[in-house]
Amino acid sequence: MLPYATLLTVDKTTATPVFVQISDQLHQLIQAGTLSAGQRLPGTRQLANLLGVNRQTIVAAYDEGLVQGWLESRSGSGTFVAMHLPEVKPQPLAETETAINQQPGYTVETHPALHRPLLINSGGLTLDDGFPDVRLAPMAELARAYRSYFRWGNPQQHFGYADTKGHPLLREQLSRHLNETRGLQTTPDNVLVGRGSIMGLYLTCQTLLRPCDVAVTGETTWAGATMNIRQTGATLLTVAVDEHGLDVEALAALCARQTVRLVYVTPHHHYPTTVTLRADRRVRLLQLAEQYGFAILEDDYDYDFHYLSRPILPLASADRNGMVVYVGSLTKSVAPAFRVGYVVAPTALIDELARLRRIIDRQGDQILEFAVAQLFKDGDMKRHFRKALRTYHARRNYFCNLLSTELSDRLTFQKPDGGMAVWAQFDPNIDMPKMVERAGQAGLFLSSGLTHNPPGRQLNGTRLGFASSTEQELEQAVAVLKRVLYPTPTPPR
């Protein structure tokens, strides 16, 4: 007989009933091949004595196995492992046991384009990619709006399946907000609410691009966009970006040579360099889209924060022929945890995006979307934008002054007209990864900027986010950078 007293263990301190523990362990022994098909199990009294439990516990464990089909009972003969189970050869014991295998037993194709560092805020000093200060988020107002959800309307409607395009109240409020602030001419039918702008980019790329297509971005651009384009199998080409934004004449020359299906741009504050696409280039880009029939995917990730003057209206505001797909998000305006983004486009595309969205995410977070809609409706979101704009404007000025006075001979930058980060290019002799490593050891997180490098070029630049830090925190962060960048205790002023 097998050493059941050793193979089966009972832990009476856990919440799992003892008969379930025994039943599960028997199943595991069968699956491992330790117990083979047709093998007779000990009698209930015998096994109860071996394990020191009540006989009825063993009866319950056997009954569980009978119900699940692992065991079978033969009248007058006892309980056996079911005969219909396939033969399993016992596997040799590994030197170390793990909770789950690190590698599957089947082939998994990896996509190099998807290998991108995951940004997680671990606290402490940070000059991030350009994130909002979550401490400014209207938390009390959001909590109040959450509570109102449970008192409003029909509960069956609230907690059942809903529109794949997003909560109707939020689509209505977003349409109104975008029309008022961005000069768009939309209805709620032109709006799809998703989980951040990244979902909007994914849905749009998957819908518009095929492996035979060509998509174009600037040679410096957001990695999240290039990942989505490459994932479709489309060919990705780039054109230059200068101090006035995307080089649209280079794009025109490219379009004259081959068919372009989609152009991805961040015209308000180009990512990562923060430059604004000049007015004449905006007009020319729309003309090229109409002439050559490509879609413009406009990512307006930080429209709400422009300090020089009124924000420049998006391309979508001047689009009269349905060439622009406009994508935005509240994750940069409020907090990354608020996974609320939107796509604005002609209704035929919105309908198709909603059909695709349904197979990966049946619907969004209805409670969050309702609560955010209430913030727009009650004016709380506008008040938050005004407060955040004043705060980030002051932080931009303070941070740029610190960089100029403390680090001027180690990096160069242009004071950004808007956004939440400074594009800083460091002295070519500075090893960016080593600098970032030393800064991390001193308690400051920042990016090495390697992901911003075009193929074959070393920009030695990175984005230094200022919006998420107070002036005191920015001062401390620059002090750390100063210690890292200057080898002498008293650097020259």
Side-chain angles (χ1 to χ4, degrees):
M1 180 182 294
L2 291 173
Y4 286 98
T6 302
L7 294 173
L8 302 175
T9 59
V10 172
D11 185 356
K12 297 182 180 180
T13 65
T14 70
T16 304
V18 173
F19 83 92
V20 174
Q21 296 179 40
I22 296 172
S23 177
D24 288 346
Q25 292 176 67
L26 287 173
H27 302 168
Q28 293 167 10
L29 292 173
I30 295 170
Q31 288 176 305
T34 306
L35 294 175
S36 58
Q39 185 169 343
R40 188 178 186 278
L41 298 182
T44 54
R45 286 190 178 86
Q46 184 182 13
L47 187 55
N49 290 333
L50 287 172
L51 300 181
V53 298
N54 189 282
R55 174 176 173 267
Q56 292 304 316
T57 300
I58 304 301
V59 170
Y62 282 3
D63 286 345
E64 182 75 11
L66 293 171
V67 170
Q68 295 192 19
W70 294 102
L71 306 178
E72 60 186 27
S73 178
R74 301 176 190 173
S75 181
S77 299
T79 303
F80 297 79
V81 178
M83 286 295 297
H84 65 268
L85 297 176
E87 180 182 0
V88 179
K89 295 182 179 180
Q91 299 294 317
L93 292 175
E95 293 183 3
T96 59
E97 293 185 2
T98 58
I100 190 169
N101 292 332
Q102 297 302 309
Q103 294 294 333
Y106 43 83
T107 301
V108 176
E109 181 181 358
T110 62
H111 299 273
L114 300 182
H115 293 188
R116 178 176 168 227
L118 186 64
L119 296 178
I120 299 176
N121 190 345
S122 56
L125 295 176
T126 178
L127 296 175
D128 52 41
D129 192 59
F131 300 151
D133 190 342
V134 297
R135 294 167 291 191
L136 300 180
M139 298 299 187
E141 293 83 352
L142 184 69
R144 183 175 64 246
Y146 258 88
R147 289 193 297 271
S148 70
Y149 186 83
F150 297 92
R151 302 191 300 266
W152 175 78
N154 183 350
Q156 290 183 331
Q157 180 183 358
H158 279 359
F159 300 102
Y161 287 114
D163 195 330
T164 310
K165 297 177 184 177
H167 196 287
L169 181 60
L170 181 55
R171 292 167 62 208
E172 174 191 330
Q173 291 299 316
L174 278 174
S175 174
R176 182 175 302 172
H177 173 72
L178 296 173
N179 292 348
E180 291 175 355
T181 62
R182 290 154 170 78
L184 304 187
Q185 298 179 18
T186 69
T187 71
D189 290 335
N190 297 116
V191 180
L192 179 139
V193 179
R195 297 183 186 271
S197 59
I198 192 70
M199 175 180 276
L201 291 176
Y202 174 81
L203 294 174
T204 302
C205 289
Q206 290 293 326
T207 300
L208 296 184
L209 293 177
R210 295 293 177 267
C212 59
D213 290 330
V214 171
V216 179
T217 71
E219 62 180 3
T220 57
T221 192
W222 184 44
T226 58
M227 289 167 61
N228 271 289
I229 292 170
R230 288 194 172 103
Q231 186 66 11
T232 67
T235 299
L236 177 63
L237 301 179
T238 64
V239 295
V241 176
D242 59 24
E243 67 272 19
H244 302 300
L246 192 77
D247 186 343
V248 294
E249 292 308 320
L251 175 63
L254 178 62
C255 290
R257 296 193 303 269
Q258 62 185 109
T259 301
V260 172
R261 173 64 168 163
L262 180 144
V263 175
Y264 170 82
V265 289
T266 51
H268 198 218
H269 304 128
H270 175 73
Y271 186 97
T273 64
T274 76
V275 299
T276 300
L277 186 63
R278 202 169 59 189
D280 60 311
R281 296 191 180 188
R282 290 167 175 261
V283 173
R284 179 67 169 141
L285 180 57
L286 285 170
Q287 290 174 344
L288 290 174
E290 295 170 14
Q291 179 181 352
Y292 291 104
F294 60 76
I296 299 174
L297 180 48
E298 181 178 16
D299 185 354
D300 210 357
Y301 63 96
D302 62 359
Y303 178 88
D304 296 298
F305 305 117
H306 196 74
Y307 314 121
L308 186 63
S309 60
R310 290 183 65 244
I312 298 173
L313 293 179
L315 294 167
S317 67
D319 177 27
R320 297 294 177 265
N321 295 285
M323 309 308 296
V324 179
V325 181
Y326 184 74
V327 177
S329 171
L330 297 182
T331 61
K332 291 293 181 68
S333 302
V334 184
F338 293 173
R339 302 309 303 166
V340 176
Y342 49 85
V343 181
V344 177
T347 55
L349 178 60
I350 292 295
D351 290 344
E352 190 62 23
L353 298 182
R355 296 183 190 104
L356 176 60
R357 187 256 181 88
R358 186 174 182 178
I359 67 173
I360 62 170
D361 184 27
R362 171 58 179 80
Q363 65 192 53
D365 184 338
Q366 290 290 292
I367 304 178
L368 174 61
E369 291 178 12
F370 169 84
V372 170
Q374 285 294 114
L375 297 189
F376 275 107
K377 186 176 181 180
D378 296 340
D380 293 318
M381 195 65 80
K382 290 184 179 179
R383 285 187 286 273
H384 166 70
F385 290 152
R386 289 196 295 266
K387 176 183 176 182
L389 179 64
R390 292 193 302 269
T391 302
Y392 298 160
H393 190 179
R395 291 177 181 178
R396 180 206 65 166
N397 293 341
Y398 190 79
F399 183 57
C400 288
N401 183 61
L402 284 172
L403 294 180
S404 296
T405 57
E406 303 295 330
L407 304 173
S408 59
D409 58 344
R410 291 293 187 269
L411 58 84
T412 59
F413 70 95
Q414 291 293 325
K415 194 175 188 178
D417 295 338
M420 295 180 282
V422 169
W423 172 249
Q425 289 190 274
F426 287 75
D427 186 297
N429 296 317
I430 294 174
D431 187 311
M432 295 293 286
K434 288 184 178 179
M435 180 201 72
V436 167
E437 182 181 358
R438 291 196 297 270
Q441 293 169 352
L444 170 65
F445 168 82
L446 71 158
S447 168
S448 67
L450 296 181
T451 58
H452 304 314
N453 291 332
R457 290 180 57 195
Q458 185 75 22
L459 299 178
N460 233 46
T462 192
R463 286 168 63 88
L464 303 177
F466 55 81
S468 62
S469 302
T470 65
E471 292 183 358
Q472 181 182 7
E473 291 165 345
L474 290 172
E475 190 170 334
Q476 293 171 349
V478 171
V480 172
L481 267 184
K482 190 174 180 179
R483 292 198 301 271
V484 169
L485 291 173
Y486 292 97
T488 58
T490 55
R493 303 286 292 190

